[in-house]
Amino acid sequence: MRVVTISATYGTAGGHIGPAVAERLGVPFVDRAIPSTVAQELGCTLEEALAHDDRAEHGLGRLLSGAMRLPTVTFGGVDMYVPGAMPIAQEEFVRRTERLLKETAQAQGGVFLGRAGAVVLADHPGALHVRLDAPLKRRVRQTATLGELSEREARKIVEDNDRARTAYVRHFYRADPADPSLYHLVIDSTSIPVSTCVDLIAIAAEALD
């Protein structure tokens, strides 16, 4: 049962590469299924659970980038906070998500996109940890092209998401998602075609057997 974690900065096609790798390896692709299951366990709505997800449009990352302050959450030299009116505790959401990642990896393997998978599953035997990244300019260009956006609109989306994802990992795991020591493989998926990225990741995962 192969396990692959993929950390992807915005604009690096993680949402395309992840499912393709999972299909190639014959394992589940685990993305939005985790918040949905967490919501069921916590007895809240999916919308409430997504408010704590690292990629939710109006979630934790969006709030962390909103210039509100509390000295317990720090990234980039700026203290931020999540308002106390949130319906469920951040820590409880993250704890349940971690447990589900570990249980899924153990029971059936999978390709896990985001949610600090390389940190959560760092000790999972045979797991391959991958980072998709590229220079900001190329990620902005790719986002603008795929989304039919202006470069200014695309740049804001990319930078907001970068801050959100970095804040999530730093706040809950005291780690830097850009740290190459967390990964076996780092790929620039704006320069290397998606199909080749899928091949590279699948070959590397099989080599860990």
Side-chain angles (χ1 to χ4, degrees), residues 51 95 97 149 165 169 190 198:
R95 187 180 69 80
T97 300
L149 303 168
R165 297 175 187 186
V169 179
T190 63
V198 173

Side-chain angles (χ1 to χ4, degrees), residues 174-189:
R174 301 294 186 264
D176 181 357
D179 180 358
S181 69
L182 296 174
Y183 310 101
H184 299 100
L185 192 62
V186 179
I187 304 174
D188 179 349
S189 53

Side-chain angles (χ1 to χ4, degrees), residues 7 74-76 115-120 122 131 162-183:
S7 169
T74 304
F75 69 98
R115 297 185 183 83
V119 180
V120 176
R131 173 76 167 175
D162 283 353
R163 284 195 298 270
R165 297 175 187 186
T166 299
Y168 183 90
V169 179
R170 286 185 176 177
H171 175 50
F172 291 114
Y173 299 102
R174 301 294 186 264
D176 181 357
D179 180 358
S181 69
L182 296 174
Y183 310 101

Side-chain angles (χ1 to χ4, degrees), residues 13 141 195 205:
R141 186 185 307 125
S195 60

Side-chain angles (χ1 to χ4, degrees), residues 31-64:
D31 188 16
R32 290 301 184 197
I34 289 294
S36 178
T37 305
V38 170
Q40 293 174 11
E41 284 199 350
L42 294 174
C44 62
T45 66
L46 178 58
E47 181 179 5
E48 288 169 341
L50 287 175
H52 297 265
D53 181 62
D54 62 327
R55 291 187 304 281
E57 181 181 356
H58 301 290
L60 173 66
R62 187 67 171 267
L63 292 166
L64 285 176

Side-chain angles (χ1 to χ4, degrees), residues 5 19 36 39 42 56-57 72 79 92 94 97 101 111 122 127 133-134 152 155 161 174 201 206:
T5 70
S36 178
L42 294 174
E57 181 181 356
T72 56
D79 291 329
E92 180 66 5
V94 172
T97 300
L101 256 67
V111 174
D133 203 354
R152 182 177 179 179
R155 187 182 185 92
N161 275 273
R174 301 294 186 264
I201 297 170
E206 290 165 350

